[in-house]
Amino acid sequence: MLYRNNCANCHQVDGAGLAGLYPPLANSDYLKANKNAVICSIRHGQQGPIVVNGKTYNRPMPAQLQFSALEVAEITTYIYSQWGDDKRLVTGKEAEAILATCKK
């Protein structure tokens, strides 16, 4: 539900992204190679260009500072279990430790 309410508008319910504006999560090389950065982006947003599957995206992703570490962990677990070939549960403590290292 957190993903649908906060992420799906741009990344779409199926994780396909939005036609050159917002990057896909499904089959994303960026997702697979940058888990800590993804966790930071969920809470703190994303500014500047990123390359996903060879294509550059440069739309800002808004910060979601209201998300607790547990909510970030839940969204991360959902994203990676759906589209990242990683069925492992991300715990709130793990997300909290990674969030403490994010550049804000």
Side-chain angles (χ1 to χ4, degrees):
M1 191 56 92
L2 284 169
Y3 176 83
R4 284 185 181 261
N5 290 339
N6 297 282
C7 311
N9 190 46
C10 297
H11 296 289
Q12 305 302 295
V13 172
D14 63 359
L18 190 58
L21 296 175
Y22 301 105
L25 301 175
N27 301 310
S28 167
D29 59 353
Y30 183 89
L31 190 75
K32 292 177 184 175
N34 296 285
K35 192 169 193 174
N36 286 7
V38 169
I39 289 171
C40 289
S41 293
I42 292 169
R43 164 81 67 78
H44 299 290
Q46 168 73 38
Q47 297 290 323
I50 61 169
V51 178
V52 179
N53 300 337
K55 182 172 181 157
T56 301
Y57 295 86
N58 195 12
R59 305 277 293 184
M61 179 174 149
Q64 301 293 328
L65 299 175
Q66 76 278 9
F67 286 163
S68 68
L70 179 58
E71 289 169 322
V72 171
E74 290 171 341
I75 293 169
T76 304
T77 297
Y78 177 77
I79 289 170
Y80 277 85
S81 68
Q82 291 296 305
W83 304 297
D85 297 328
D86 184 353
K87 304 294 185 199
R88 190 180 59 81
L89 176 70
V90 178
T91 67
K93 287 185 179 188
E94 180 182 359
E96 187 171 15
I98 293 166
L99 291 168
T101 70
C102 300
K103 295 179 183 176
K104 299 170 187 143

